[in-house]
Amino acid sequence: MHPSEKEFADLLDYYQINYLYEPRSFPLRWDGSRVVEMFTPDFYLPEYDQYFELTTMKQNLVTQKNRKLRRVREMYPEVNVQLLYRKDLMRLMGKYGFGPLSGVSVEGTERVLFDEALVQRRVRELGAQITEDYAGEEPVLIGVLRGVVVFMADLMRAVDLPVQVEFMEITHYGEERQESLDVIRDVTTDLSGRHALVVEDIADTGLTLRYLREHLQAKGPASLRVCALLDKSVRRMTNVRLDYVGFEIPDEFVIGYGLDYGGRYRNLPYIGVLQPLEPKAVAQR
Ligand code: PRP
């Protein structure tokens, strides 16, 4: 394995995701009956029926790879294959507790994406929608520490229903590399027969939500939905359903309104894009 493949494999292990390494080759061109070109994606995730191809190459080589990938998609339309670029990997690794962001010095906000008034208005709209959808019920709002605290504090006050609020904590992109994702602090309310609504500040790869859904579903709630303030769907690695979304955001590192960089900026009242001093080195989260 290439070192980046090893890192990706470690990440999948962390999230307890099964994978197969290079399990299959797709013939792309033949000379008579002889295969002269084929494509062997690096990873296959059976639970998602998803292939991943990692690339750490120079741009001109990536272009070739992209061409190959297009051909795979044409010839094997039923096959889901995604290319992960070097920057994608760096971002994932950065989240995982090590990586390029840790060494980058930052100034603050490069630009404001959603100002305070806009965020507040959107949160009120989400609250009104939740109030309508759960009319007559007493939902349990479940937040995952720590990024969610600001959003949760505003959202719960925008919901005009009796609600219960719970916070969970999971091992998560810490300083130390964790063996695997785990719940450190669980909900204390009995969820069986209750309407559970997971509240998240951001859905990025979606892996946290996938894990949470599974974990909470096992507690037998009457319903289980997800409300995420920010949806960076372009980064999604797994299909997770988001029932309520505040804003769709571009593939940039965002801070403020609970979201941090290195523990800072959570208390900004707006949501902004991080200003790196070494713009080229920046990676997500
Ligand atoms: C953020 C966020 C989600 C998670 C989403 O947490 O609060 O829990 O990332 O990412 P994913 O979709 O790629 O799994 P973070 O690790 O930044 O911790 P924090 O909430 O303590 O800031």
Side-chain angles (χ1 to χ4, degrees), residues 95 146-147 172-173 200-201 204-206 208 260 266 285:
K95 290 187 64 164
R146 284 171 278 181
H172 212 195
Y173 320 132
E200 265 284 31
D201 48 340
D204 189 359
T205 63
T208 304
D260 73 312
R266 291 194 199 273
R285 309 187 52 65

Side-chain angles (χ1 to χ4, degrees), residues 73-218:
R73 290 190 178 123
E74 275 163 28
M75 294 179 63
Y76 305 92
E78 74 289 357
V79 169
N80 302 313
V81 52
Q82 195 178 328
L83 193 62
L84 286 184
Y85 294 95
R86 184 165 172 72
K87 75 167 196 218
D88 297 327
L89 268 180
M90 308 261 271
R91 278 167 197 204
L92 286 169
M93 295 307 132
K95 290 187 64 164
Y96 189 34
F98 63 100
L101 259 191
S102 37
V104 177
S105 45
V106 289
E107 275 177 355
T109 311
E110 184 185 85
R111 66 177 199 281
V112 174
L113 271 185
F114 309 112
D115 67 20
E116 184 173 2
L118 183 55
V119 172
Q120 292 299 330
R121 193 161 68 233
R122 188 70 191 117
V123 174
R124 277 198 301 276
E125 284 171 6
L126 288 171
Q129 187 62 53
I130 290 166
T131 304
E132 199 183 311
D133 294 353
Y134 288 87
E137 306 291 347
E138 186 172 341
V140 186
L141 308 185
I142 303 168
V144 186
L145 294 171
R146 284 171 278 181
V148 79
V149 286
V150 184
F151 177 41
M152 179 68 103
D154 285 342
L155 184 71
M156 63 195 268
R157 286 177 290 176
V159 175
D160 189 14
L161 291 172
V163 292
Q164 267 176 273
V165 178
E166 283 277 354
F167 287 100
M168 291 178 68
E169 198 174 347
I170 53 183
T171 51
H172 212 195
Y173 320 132
E175 298 297 310
E176 299 288 321
R177 279 172 74 161
Q178 301 287 340
E179 283 302 305
S180 76
L181 198 61
D182 208 358
V183 173
I184 302 174
R185 179 199 151 91
D186 208 343
V187 291
T188 51
T189 306
D190 179 7
L191 289 184
S192 69
R194 301 293 304 271
H195 293 284
L197 178 60
V198 175
V199 179
E200 265 284 31
D201 48 340
I202 183 168
D204 189 359
T205 63
L207 294 170
T208 304
L209 277 173
R210 171 198 177 253
Y211 177 82
L212 280 174
R213 259 194 183 280
E214 227 167 74
H215 177 83
L216 293 171
Q217 197 64 60

